[in-house]
Amino acid sequence: MERVRMPLRIKFLRLTTLLAAVVLGWPAPLLAGPLIQQWTTPSGAKVLLVEDHAIPMLDIQVNFSAGSRYDPPNRSGLAAMTAHMLSTGTRTAKGCLGLTEAQIEDRLAEIGGVISDTVDGDSAALRLRTLSAAPKRDAALAVFAGILQCPALPEKKLVRERQRVITALNVSEKQPQAQAEKAFKAAVFGAHPYGASPGPKSIAALTQADLISFYQAHYTAQHAVLSIVGDCDRAQAERIAEQLMRALPDSAPGAALPPVVPLSGSSEIKLLNPASQAHILIGAPAIARGDPDYFPLLVANQVLGGGTLISRLGHEVREQRGLSYGVYSAFIPAAQPGSFQISLQTRKDQAHEALAVVRETLATFIAQGPTQAELDAAKNYLVNSFPLQLDSNGKWLRIVATIGVYGLPLDYLETWPARVNAVTRAEAHAAFVKHVSVNQMATVLVGAPVAP
Amino acid sequence: MPLRVMARAYMRGHFLRSGACLLTLLCVASVSAATSRAEGASSADLQHALPTTEFTLANGLRVIVREDHRAPTVLQMLFYKAGSLDELSGTTGVAHVLEHMMFRGTQQFGPGEFSQRVAALGGSENAFTMQDCTAYFTRIEKSHLSEIMALEADRMQNLAITSELFEREIRVVMEERRLSLEDKPEALLDEALQATAYNASPARWPVIGWQDDLQQMTWFDARAWYERWYAPNNAVLVVAGDVDAASVRSQAERWFGAIPARPLPARKPQNEPLQRGLKRVTIKAPADVPRVVLAFKAMPLEANSAAKQDAYALSVLAAVLDGYPNARLEKHLVREQRLADWVDASYSMVARGPQLFTLSAIPAQGRSLIELEAALRSELRRIAQNGVSAQELQRVKTQLYSARIYGRDSVFSQVMEIGLAEVAGHSWRAIEPMDQALNAVTAQDVQAVAARYFSDDQLTVATLMPPHTQSTPRLRKRSQGK
């Protein structure tokens, strides 16, 4: 769940989605850039700082170990709703400012601050973007600290937000893409929490008490990672980190999570949908963050169906046969093994043709691996495009947060190009064979042609 | 999801990667590149802090260089002033189809080779088509600028369109239309809204074209489009990033300088006749949630028009309604009255062609579209009668200012702003004066446009009705507690 609070909606230029869309993909690093500084606050939070004084702005992201995998059974959506509700009012207790939702938002509007939240399977991220000039920055930080430390999680606002989320779900659940993703998660992860998706029923069941206890259990400094990027020096960053991380709940570590279980065989799920296109997802659990096979798989996947349209899948499905506007494959590593997935959409009456082309392309790739020329082209692309992954504060923030949350080494960015370059054809092929098998795949086809 | 943006810009690549935004509809994020120098901030820290240079080659190609040395990368974007507004009935969508064909090879490079060469250099490339332009962009490490410029110049003059490649690519475009329009109820609603609001203007058809026109299109239509519009004197090249203007200039001369200028066809205005009464359209689509859009005729900012102050005031009005989280529509309709679960106000000031000022909403449970429509209109009426507060105005101007600062974080957004201003007929040099004019808008200006622009005679109302709802309005009924 994400609620982005951007400052302005004058559609002065009409490019909002373009801006968001162009910045895709997991980063590669940069050779001559600002270094990452890291330390731990007295309260136990990990802090990462990248100084960049070119623009008078500052981005701060706090990740808590409070992602949707901690949702209790029948409470899917709790993690997301908790993060979402933090900014709907703060308490008036000792050390707390006691602001209503409208006061929070009006204050931010008056100083140009933006607060947003994103929740994925592993963590909840709260973000503040502010001008770095002291009076505005300090006012923004005071509001931000309040929503982290003193959320009221008011019942009345919960009633409203439950309804709005249900409305949003009702919109998306009819859409084939959302239907396919939900079915795919369930097919790939089964009973593991990564496989759950919120629905109108699980959202309707969320109570204020659920939110308060989730907050108390997961929004702790010991499990927080604070990423700071922008116009701010080390001393200021230390003060900011301490201001934001004090007075958070203190709680014991949660129960261990069940392991992600590999698929035992192949499955195929077909769902009806009146849309004109079929949406197809194929995949299985693959690797976790930090897996030693990450780099060989990154390179191998670039050949098979990574970002560009010149991949094998792009060539076979789109360029040669005109079957789809988009076809991709990706590994999505998480704290526990995340999915490998192939996705495409095509006109319903050619869905089986497209699926056959995808399966054949994948089987050939698993059998033979990439050619040397393909491997070289993929490595070239990944290494040469490295500087593009770090050309804005926004991109730095995302990457630094990932490094912090998953405990990747601090020299991760510096060593990234060399590690990509070191991948051999044999390694790429072996890693792919090890983690992807055509006999252990879930296929979801939404908008299946109606049987004759 | 900013419905209008999605509906109007079509891209060659597949950008709609799956996002797990549960609140897709509720989290309407808009990064604005609008600007202002509110609060007496000095102009030096904004627009002109980044050196910008312009020059025009002898063949008429306009080149603008924005230097931003934060990272060793460069973004090249070539804008052609040819979009769906320039199409004729029967071949709608051809601007976008040609955009796809531009990646299908030239006399020198075979199909797919453009992308392969860019990828080998570590670049990423794509393109998009809008009502007023078609643009091609490549992002790359800075030392490769000359190579990508050579590729871009090559396809400006040597495109090879064959019937066979066309037949394959038009299938991809039809899949794109299914994906991004036909299977999206809110996009269907927008398509119907445009087609109803306009009778004569080419703004009436979707950028991606009518499906039937795509089915009838031939390679010859694409070829003709290319020959008509793809000339250096109809293009603006924007290069931004870690570059210096002198070297960009010599490379632009080298690669683009020898391409001859060509006479451009006269643009017939195809002006929309005066609307003389309210129009309505209803779309039934497989959605569980209804939706209403109120669209009033407006115009974009025009440099020499007597009414240009109106465009600034309308921009500020849109922001007063929906420019920050506790702005009027959200505050009144979603929170206080619980009439809506989602609201939006939208107006594009910098554009070529007619514009709509739109108010959109999704009703809360148990509330009807009729109630919602009335409430949206009463928000406009309230401003027309009582004006806006100094505090609201100040908030909007602070948003303009901070969005300008934040916009500098993205080279892409800087390039888009420059290119789209140029395409709309404003020099990039006009961007700062536009900021100043926005910042100078008064409460009286906002009240005045609220009183003048929103008559029923200029209104088109589009409603999305899920198939199971009755066409007559539901009775007002609260679901909880009573």
Side-chain angles (χ1 to χ4, degrees), chain B residues 149-199:
Chain B
M149 210 181 264
L151 286 168
E152 198 60 75
D154 177 49
R155 65 177 172 177
M156 179 186 273
Q157 54 190 326
N158 299 318
L159 193 67
I161 301 180
T162 68
S163 165
E164 192 216 336
L165 288 173
F166 179 86
E167 292 307 324
R168 249 182 271 166
E169 196 64 29
I170 196 77
R171 296 183 68 191
V172 171
V173 175
M174 286 191 265
E175 291 299 334
E176 182 180 0
R177 191 188 142 93
R178 288 184 190 99
L179 178 71
S180 56
L181 204 155
E182 290 174 16
D183 287 348
K184 288 202 166 25
E186 66 275 18
L188 286 173
L189 183 68
D190 187 60
E191 183 181 60
L193 169 66
Q194 292 287 321
T196 307
Y198 297 110
N199 291 333

Side-chain angles (χ1 to χ4, degrees), chain A residues 1-19 21-22 24 30 32 52 54-57 59 77 80 84 101-102 105-106 108-114 119 129-131 136 159-161 163-165 167-172 174-177 181 198 203 274-277 279 307-310 318-330 341 345-347 350 353 377 380-381 384-385 387-395, chain B residues 2 5-6 9 11-15 17-23 25-34 39 70-73 100 104 112 115-116 119-124 128 130 132 137 139-141 168-169 171-172 175-176 178-179 182-183 185-186 286-289 315-316 319 322-326 330 334-335 338 341-351 362 365 391 395-396 398-403 405-406 408-409 412-413 416-417 420 434 438:
Chain A
M1 182 185 317
E2 177 170 36
R3 178 167 60 170
V4 183
R5 299 180 171 193
M6 293 306 297
L8 181 69
R9 303 237 197 97
I10 288 187
K11 312 269 167 57
F12 180 86
L13 296 179
R14 301 133 294 166
L15 38 120
T16 54
T17 312
L18 305 183
L19 295 188
V22 168
L24 305 166
L30 176 66
D52 187 332
I55 308 173
M57 61 185 271
D59 286 291
H84 176 65
E101 180 182 39
E105 291 174 345
D106 287 347
L108 289 170
E110 279 147 25
I111 55 178
V114 185
V119 174
R129 171 165 274 192
T130 174
L131 301 169
K136 291 199 170 67
V159 170
R160 183 192 75 206
E161 289 306 311
Q163 185 55 54
R164 298 183 79 190
V165 173
T167 295
L169 283 171
N170 284 337
V171 170
S172 73
K174 275 276 156 53
Q175 293 176 355
Q177 184 68 32
E181 282 167 15
I203 296 293
S276 65
Q277 278 189 322
H279 287 242
T308 69
L309 299 173
I310 58 171
R318 172 173 161 144
E319 304 292 300
Q320 284 303 106
R321 295 178 177 82
L323 287 171
S324 181
Y325 178 52
V327 54
Y328 289 94
S329 65
Q341 64 180 62
Q345 311 82 26
T346 188
R347 206 175 70 215
Q350 57 196 19
E353 181 192 354
N380 261 342
Y381 171 76
N384 289 333
S385 67
L388 297 177
Q389 314 299 338
L390 290 172
D391 62 1
S392 73
N393 292 7
K395 292 186 200 179
Chain B
V5 175
M6 288 307 304
M11 316 201 56
R12 169 199 171 239
H14 181 261
F15 274 76
R17 304 292 291 271
S18 62
C21 181
L22 193 150
L23 283 170
L25 261 168
L26 304 183
C27 63
V28 178
S30 293
V31 180
S32 171
E39 309 176 330
R70 290 177 301 145
T73 62
H100 277 241
R104 283 302 203 157
S115 299
Q116 282 160 15
L121 300 170
S124 58
F128 58 88
M130 301 172 69
D132 45 11
F137 60 92
R139 300 165 56 239
I140 205 153
E141 192 276 325
R168 249 182 271 166
E169 196 64 29
R171 296 183 68 191
V172 171
E175 291 299 334
E176 182 180 0
R178 288 184 190 99
L179 178 71
E182 290 174 16
D183 287 348
E186 66 275 18
D288 249 8
V289 175
S315 290
V316 173
D322 189 31
Y324 54 98
N326 197 38
E330 176 91 12
V334 176
R335 297 177 178 180
R338 285 302 296 126
D341 275 347
W342 174 83
V343 288
D344 179 74
S346 171
Y347 165 71
S348 295
M349 182 180 87
V350 176
I362 290 176
Q365 193 181 33
Q391 205 177 20
R395 276 181 207 138
V396 166
T398 303
Q399 302 309 294
L400 289 162
Y401 173 79
S402 56
I405 298 285
Y406 302 150
R408 275 179 45 188
D409 193 37
F412 192 87
S413 86
M416 288 294 281
E417 181 179 55
L420 294 183
M434 284 186 222
L438 278 168

Side-chain angles (χ1 to χ4, degrees), chain B residues 350-403:
Chain B
V350 176
R352 177 160 69 91
Q355 294 298 308
L356 296 173
F357 189 110
T358 64
L359 304 176
S360 317
I362 290 176
Q365 193 181 33
R367 310 310 289 259
S368 75
L369 292 176
I370 300 289
E371 286 178 283
L372 203 48
E373 184 186 323
L376 288 166
R377 288 198 217 205
S378 83
E379 291 298 325
L380 290 170
R381 208 162 39 236
R382 182 151 26 162
I383 292 177
Q385 284 165 1
N386 307 329
V388 298
S389 71
Q391 205 177 20
E392 283 175 299
L393 213 52
Q394 191 52 50
R395 276 181 207 138
V396 166
K397 291 177 180 180
T398 303
Q399 302 309 294
L400 289 162
Y401 173 79
S402 56

Side-chain angles (χ1 to χ4, degrees), chain A residues 6-194:
Chain A
M6 293 306 297
L8 181 69
R9 303 237 197 97
I10 288 187
K11 312 269 167 57
F12 180 86
L13 296 179
R14 301 133 294 166
L15 38 120
T16 54
T17 312
L18 305 183
L19 295 188
V22 168
V23 192
L24 305 166
W26 162 251
L30 176 66
L31 305 169
L35 295 172
I36 303 173
Q37 303 173 58
Q38 183 182 310
W39 68 94
T40 303
T41 65
S43 47
K46 189 201 279 187
V47 188
L48 297 94
L49 166 68
V50 175
E51 290 185 41
D52 187 332
H53 302 281
I55 308 173
M57 61 185 271
L58 182 61
D59 286 291
I60 300 172
Q61 176 169 322
V62 190
N63 282 80
F64 293 97
S65 192
S68 56
R69 64 183 179 145
Y70 301 102
D71 285 348
N74 306 321
R75 289 287 190 278
S76 280
L78 174 58
M81 185 65 89
T82 304
H84 176 65
M85 286 286 296
L86 291 180
S87 52
T88 56
T90 60
R91 289 180 287 115
T92 44
K94 180 166 168 280
C96 295
L97 268 176
L99 298 174
T100 65
E101 180 182 39
Q103 285 170 330
I104 289 171
E105 291 174 345
D106 287 347
R107 269 188 201 200
L108 289 170
E110 279 147 25
I111 55 178
V114 185
I115 288 177
S116 60
D117 59 271
T118 318
V119 174
D120 63 22
D122 294 328
S123 76
L126 278 301
R127 257 186 313 277
L128 170 69
R129 171 165 274 192
T130 174
L131 301 169
S132 58
K136 291 199 170 67
R137 179 197 66 202
D138 294 346
L141 283 166
V143 173
F144 194 49
I147 72 161
L148 296 178
Q149 294 158 7
C150 310
L153 302 168
E155 173 75 34
K156 200 177 147 199
K157 306 283 196 262
L158 177 61
V159 170
R160 183 192 75 206
E161 289 306 311
R162 274 199 312 245
Q163 185 55 54
R164 298 183 79 190
V165 173
I166 289 168
T167 295
L169 283 171
N170 284 337
V171 170
S172 73
E173 284 195 339
K174 275 276 156 53
Q175 293 176 355
Q177 184 68 32
Q179 260 188 336
E181 282 167 15
K182 190 170 177 173
F184 180 76
K185 277 167 76 178
V188 167
F189 294 107
H192 187 277
Y194 280 170

